Amino acid sequence: MLADKAYSSRANRAYLRRRGIQAVIPIKKDQQANRLNRGRKGGRPPGFDAERYKERNTAERCVNKLKGHRAVALRTDKRERIYEGTIDVASIRIWLRDHVL
């Protein structure tokens, strides 16, 4: 799971670990400093794959482009399949805007 620094708490990491999900979450500077201040009791730093974390940027940009469409951002549709259709139409419009001259 790719996540923002806001989700780097020990509880969130333990929750994902219990479910067998690999977390790719950078550690906050204050958490890192606190761990280092504790010395050996601070434990090892959590694993972090910087290359996989870069993929998060692509997903964030996609979501932000979709939210540029009012119906997607506000989710005015009542039924899930209608909302999915709204996302499909917004995606097609984004693709056409970016790829057609």
Side-chain angles (χ1 to χ4, degrees):
M1 181 179 102
L2 300 173
D4 185 281
K5 284 185 180 186
Y7 300 99
S8 68
S9 72
R10 185 176 292 180
N12 285 342
R13 290 178 189 277
Y15 177 84
L16 293 172
R17 200 175 308 114
R18 280 193 308 269
R19 282 153 183 76
I21 301 170
Q22 181 183 5
V24 180
I25 307 170
I27 191 167
K28 290 181 183 179
K29 296 286 183 193
D30 64 332
Q31 289 174 344
Q32 184 176 13
N34 186 33
R35 186 181 56 75
L36 293 175
N37 286 339
R38 293 187 62 189
R40 295 185 75 181
K41 293 180 185 177
R44 293 184 309 186
F48 176 68
D49 185 357
E51 290 301 314
R52 278 197 55 210
Y53 186 71
K54 289 179 185 177
E55 295 172 10
R56 181 179 165 270
N57 182 30
T58 305
E60 290 274 334
R61 285 191 325 224
C62 177
V63 169
N64 288 334
K65 280 185 179 184
L66 284 171
K67 286 187 175 182
H69 295 272
R70 185 170 184 238
V72 175
L74 298 178
R75 190 164 182 170
T76 55
D77 301 316
K78 290 183 180 180
R79 293 185 179 86
E80 182 180 354
R81 71 170 191 263
I82 302 298
Y83 182 66
E84 288 172 356
T86 303
I87 291 175
D88 290 343
V89 170
S91 299
I92 291 168
R93 290 184 71 195
I94 291 168
W95 186 85
L96 287 172
R97 181 187 66 209
D98 292 346
H99 292 89
V100 175
L101 298 175

